[in-house]
Amino acid sequence: MLSLKSILSKKGYVKIKLKKTKTNHFEVKAKINGIKGRFILDTGASNSCVGLDMIEHFKLEATDSKIKAAGAGAVDMETQQSTKNTLEISDWKYHNLNLVLFDLSHVNTALKEHGAKTVEGIVGADILDKGEAIIDYKKQRLYLKKLVYKF
């Protein structure tokens, strides 16, 4: 019998190891614009996000946004946006990442209170959709289909 890993590998998927945090979230290591960071994998987040305090760290060009963010107990948070960034998760790459930037201090405070490490951002459903994501909860793996770019 073929394994999920071998079936998906033949279909062009990349296997990405996930780490379960003390808060029962999956954490994924990724690079934005070539710079490493730690992110929560959040299937309920419509957009991928980075904390406002990480703008310089990830070399983001931020512009004001009229969108208000909500989630994890906070509502009507002011946001900024950053477009045309590069995201790398293991061997999976996306070259046109749009990010929502907002204050993630409430998220990181909650993580710290539960003994978990803080994060720089959230990988949301936008990326999971783009990569036709499959999550293997038992083996703690994320599979993303490699994107084909036509230049």
Side-chain angles (χ1 to χ4, degrees):
M1 181 198 275
L2 292 174
S3 68
L4 180 62
K5 176 184 168 187
S6 62
I7 292 168
L8 293 177
S9 178
K10 288 178 183 177
K11 293 186 179 239
Y13 279 81
V14 173
K15 178 186 83 167
I16 299 157
K17 292 181 182 180
L18 298 172
K19 179 183 176 185
K20 193 170 266 190
T21 69
K22 292 181 180 182
T23 58
N24 215 26
H25 290 94
F26 278 133
E27 177 185 288
V28 63
K29 292 183 179 176
K31 292 180 184 177
I32 294 178
N33 300 329
I35 301 160
K36 293 178 184 179
R38 185 179 12 262
F39 300 83
I40 288 175
L41 184 68
D42 188 347
T43 61
S46 55
N47 295 293
S48 294
C49 311
V50 168
L52 286 170
D53 57 335
M54 292 288 118
I55 291 172
E56 288 183 31
H57 176 77
F58 288 117
K59 300 179 183 173
L60 303 173
E61 291 186 27
T63 58
D64 289 333
S65 173
K66 293 179 182 177
I67 298 170
K68 300 281 186 182
V75 294
D76 281 342
M77 294 180 288
E78 297 291 327
T79 67
Q80 293 184 339
Q81 62 185 357
S82 181
T83 60
K84 299 180 182 171
N85 297 289
T86 299
L87 174 68
E88 297 174 59
I89 306 174
S90 184
D91 291 331
W92 188 84
K93 295 178 183 165
Y94 181 51
H95 296 286
N96 195 21
L97 176 66
N98 295 327
L99 291 165
V100 175
L101 312 172
F102 69 99
D103 183 1
L104 286 177
S105 62
H106 65 288
V107 172
N108 281 321
T109 297
L111 290 171
K112 284 192 279 188
E113 286 177 0
H114 288 89
K117 294 180 181 177
T118 60
V119 295
E120 285 78 38
I122 297 166
V123 173
D126 55 341
I127 292 303
L128 300 175
D129 183 44
K130 183 63 70 178
E132 299 178 30
I134 297 171
I135 301 171
D136 183 339
Y137 285 89
K138 185 174 183 177
K139 294 193 177 177
Q140 298 183 12
R141 294 180 183 151
L142 168 67
Y143 294 91
L144 294 174
K145 190 168 189 176
K146 284 188 179 180
L147 299 171
V148 178
Y149 290 96
K150 297 175 185 174
F151 295 102

